[in-house]
Amino acid sequence: ADYQDGSVLHSERTPTLSGNAIDELIYHHLVDLHYARRGARPNRATLTNRGRAAKEHLSIAPAVTIDHVAGQPLKLTRSDFEELIGGLLRNIALFSTSVFSRAPKYPEAVAVIGGCANIPAVLDTLAARLDMPVLTVPDPEAVIAKGAALVADAAAPSALPSALQAASLTDVPS
């Protein structure tokens, strides 16, 4: 996007890096560990949910212990996690470089939004491979929803704010 006039110069999407893709990698990693210990397939939903919680915790902690369905907890370090998603990180950096080369103007910075923006390795990999500032915002997973709400409000302003204002005026004691 052009910061000066707000126009979108070029846009592409990829499913390369997503919460679901990372969840799948963690799930298969945990299944491999489970098979090594138990020789049986664990419950997929349970293990996926535990892996997702571990992924989210690793954004702020160096390691996490996953209560495993086999009864024996599994430890996943941030280093192990980053190695596990390393291929996805390389692919998203290559994708970004490719998209930038097709844009009419090469970007000066990258803004990362969505849940993956909470993963330090995503920001670090992009900054190292793209050689430009990589930015994010607080609560990056809510950016799209907040943006959609702003667009909807701008297109058809709601009666809610004026109704709330009228209600607050009637509640003021005389």
Side-chain angles (χ1 to χ4, degrees):
D2 187 313
Y3 181 74
Q4 300 298 342
D5 67 11
S7 64
V8 175
L9 301 174
H10 188 76
S11 175
E12 291 184 38
R13 290 184 57 87
T14 180
T16 298
L17 183 65
S18 69
N20 288 339
I22 293 172
D23 292 346
E24 275 296 304
L25 289 174
I26 294 172
Y27 168 77
H28 288 291
H29 174 73
L30 295 175
V31 165
D32 290 346
L33 293 174
H34 181 86
Y35 275 138
R37 293 182 180 170
R38 303 285 288 187
R41 180 170 292 281
N43 178 282
R44 183 178 182 94
T46 300
L47 203 53
T48 298
N49 288 337
R50 290 178 182 173
R52 184 174 298 122
K55 169 188 70 179
E56 292 168 2
H57 192 68
L58 284 171
S59 68
I60 58 170
V64 64
T65 301
I66 302 165
D67 291 331
H68 199 261
V69 291
Q72 187 171 5
L74 300 172
K75 183 176 182 179
L76 184 63
T77 67
R78 186 180 292 172
S79 172
D80 294 336
F81 172 70
E82 290 172 0
E83 185 176 323
L84 193 61
I85 66 169
L88 295 179
L89 297 175
R90 286 186 295 280
N91 288 343
I92 199 63
L94 289 170
F95 173 79
S96 299
T97 302
S98 175
V99 169
F100 297 165
S101 70
R102 291 188 293 278
K105 183 178 174 186
Y106 202 82
E108 296 175 18
V110 175
V112 182
I113 60 171
C116 289
N118 289 316
I119 301 171
V122 171
L123 303 174
D124 295 343
T125 299
L126 289 173
R129 293 191 178 235
L130 300 178
D131 194 31
M132 67 177 64
V134 176
L135 315 165
T136 192
V137 296
D139 201 19
E141 61 278 4
V143 168
I144 294 172
K146 289 177 182 177
L150 289 171
V151 168
D153 187 52
S158 151
L160 184 59
S162 59
L164 288 176
Q165 184 179 19
S168 65
L169 291 176
T170 60
D171 294 338
V172 176
S174 325

